[in-house]
Amino acid sequence: MADLKAGIIGFDTSHLIRFSELTKVESPNRVKGLDIIAGLPTFSPDIPSSYERVEGYKKDMSEKWGVKLVSSMEELLNMCDVILLESLDGRRHLKEATPVLKAKKPVFIDKPLAANYADAKEIVRLAKENDCPMFSSSSLRFDYDVLEAKKDTEFGRILGADAVTPMSLEVTNPGLFWYGIHGLEMLYSFMGTGCSKVFCEKTETTHLVTGVWDSGRIGTVRGVRGYACGYGVTLFAEKQFKRVNSTGKVPYYAQLLNQIVAFFQTGKPPVEADETLEMMQFMEAAYKSEV
């Protein structure tokens, strides 16, 4: 199968560099099937971590990775088979995804799907209306250790789970939307949908968000700032208690890219839109609870 020609929207995240490296450089973790050929270098002028990086990434993508920088969405869509929407700022996702979905170009939207539930719901509606394949996810959902734990049938039904994640904050993408999504993706990997109540306690160093599922199961996300923390999830099951620590045994982005390529080739998302929308509701409810 010939490599799919991919275009990138958003030049303000390190994912650009890692995706390019993993698809273009021969290595044990190389991901085949995707050729990143063009990029639309959008950014957010009110977020320092966005506007301060865009020029450096434009230089690297153009000079090191041979990616053509384009000046319009129309030009990008005309050149490419599929789209990677990588904009750091979830507020931009609805506006940037809309022409892609209307053009029926399969698109991966990097985490989070949007910076609020209303925008996320509209993105999903547009994808369905235009019959355009779309999915969104954090790389942590496909972490090697998480996937290995999901294969394990020894511990029985999951009755609860506690996820932990580093969690920096950004006022424009409040609460879990900016970085807490990583922990939430791990939590939902094991708990699935059906959360009906959300409560959040916030301190200077910690967000502790509790979700209650319809079945009476409870899951939590601990978002950490300023003290030692990695990615992981503790599982409480019928037969065993299990701690899953993300070791990065296989690079996160290689795992994610393999899922993205399979999605582009088949049109079948590895995460259903209904589950992603529920996570958006979870994060919005957590934010409302904290304030």
Side-chain angles (χ1 to χ4, degrees), residues 142-212:
F142 307 113
D143 169 64
Y144 175 85
D145 299 284
V146 169
L147 293 181
E148 286 298 298
K150 288 191 71 174
K151 294 177 186 176
D152 192 341
T153 59
E154 294 299 314
F155 47 81
R157 181 170 175 259
I158 303 297
L159 301 176
D162 295 340
V164 62
T165 178
M167 185 180 160
S168 57
L169 298 177
E170 166 54 50
V171 66
T172 61
N173 289 246
L176 277 69
F177 281 99
W178 186 246
Y179 214 78
I181 181 68
H182 289 311
L184 191 59
E185 290 274 8
M186 289 188 292
L187 181 68
Y188 265 79
S189 291
F190 293 100
M191 294 289 285
T193 58
C195 183
S196 57
K197 297 179 183 178
V198 176
F199 311 90
C200 178
E201 289 291 338
K202 174 190 175 185
T203 68
E204 184 177 345
T205 61
T206 306
H207 271 69
L208 183 60
V209 187
T210 302
V212 181

Side-chain angles (χ1 to χ4, degrees), residues 66-195:
V67 172
K68 180 180 180 181
L69 305 185
V70 301
S71 58
S72 72
M73 185 72 73
E74 182 180 12
E75 185 178 2
L76 184 76
L77 295 175
N78 285 337
M79 292 177 64
C80 300
D81 304 312
V82 296
I83 298 295
L84 300 163
L85 202 168
E86 294 299 316
S87 297
L88 184 68
D89 183 357
R91 295 175 303 169
R92 305 206 317 264
H93 288 182
L94 174 57
K95 180 179 179 180
E96 294 178 337
T98 297
V100 178
L101 298 171
K102 289 183 176 180
K104 302 184 187 298
K105 299 284 184 175
V107 56
F108 167 72
I109 302 177
D110 217 324
K111 58 81 186 170
L113 178 57
N116 59 71
Y117 175 67
D119 281 5
K121 186 176 180 181
E122 179 63 8
I123 290 171
V124 171
R125 187 195 70 78
L126 285 167
K128 291 179 178 178
E129 180 182 87
N130 292 283
D131 194 24
C132 181
M134 180 277 298
F135 95 96
S136 176
S137 180
S138 154
S139 59
L140 268 295
R141 177 180 284 268
F142 307 113
D143 169 64
Y144 175 85
D145 299 284
V146 169
L147 293 181
E148 286 298 298
K150 288 191 71 174
K151 294 177 186 176
D152 192 341
T153 59
E154 294 299 314
F155 47 81
R157 181 170 175 259
I158 303 297
L159 301 176
D162 295 340
V164 62
T165 178
M167 185 180 160
S168 57
L169 298 177
E170 166 54 50
V171 66
T172 61
N173 289 246
L176 277 69
F177 281 99
W178 186 246
Y179 214 78
I181 181 68
H182 289 311
L184 191 59
E185 290 274 8
M186 289 188 292
L187 181 68
Y188 265 79
S189 291
F190 293 100
M191 294 289 285
T193 58
C195 183

